[in-house]
């Protein structure tokens, strides 16, 4: 994938996070810049978790473990990105809403796409 494709994926991820911030109580994002940075941090944390624990325990995985790890990654990201506040319940609801949105608009992060490409 070209550089422009990665940029588009991060922009779409940031827009999805802004929508989630609008829909989910106890999950707020300051502005679009914070959403872009949050998308980057979530991608990096997810990539690190997947690298350490494997694909079954990654936030990109399916099932209850992937859902819980996704919520944990979202909750941890608030400590790295300013302008983002998330409670535990907000992180769980955000992971649920992001999972539902992902059913209709699948967005894989550039780090996940590169890893999938290298594993083929």
């Amino acid at each position: 994938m070209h550089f422009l494709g990665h940029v588009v994926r991060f922009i779409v991820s940031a827009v999805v996070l802004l929508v989630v911030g609008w829909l989910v109580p106890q999950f707020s994002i300051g502005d679009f810049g914070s959403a872009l940075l949050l998308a980057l941090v979530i991608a990096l944390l997810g990539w690190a978790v997947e690298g350490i624990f494997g694909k079954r325990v990654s936030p990109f995985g399916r099932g209850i473990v992937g859902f819980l790890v996704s919520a944990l990654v979202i909750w941890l990201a608030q400590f790295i990105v300013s302008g983002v506040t998330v409670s535990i319940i907000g992180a769980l609801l955000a992971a649920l809403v992001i999972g539902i949105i992902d059913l209709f608009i699948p967005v894989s992060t550039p780090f996940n796409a590169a890893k999938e490409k290298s594993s083929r």
Side-chain angles (χ1 to χ4, degrees), residues 13 16-17 20-21 24-29 34-35 37-47 49 58-60 65-100:
S13 296
V16 167
L17 287 169
V20 169
V24 174
Q26 302 179 18
F27 182 92
S28 66
I29 299 175
S34 295
L37 188 56
L38 184 62
L40 177 65
V41 168
I42 288 172
L44 289 172
L45 287 174
W47 177 73
V49 167
S58 81
F60 310 113
V65 174
F67 168 73
L68 292 175
V69 171
S70 180
L72 179 64
V73 165
I74 291 168
W75 183 76
L76 288 173
Q78 75 172 324
F79 300 112
I80 300 170
V81 180
S82 65
V84 177
T85 56
V86 183
S87 70
I88 297 286
I89 299 296
L92 288 168
L93 290 173
L96 178 66
V97 171
I98 290 170
I100 291 169

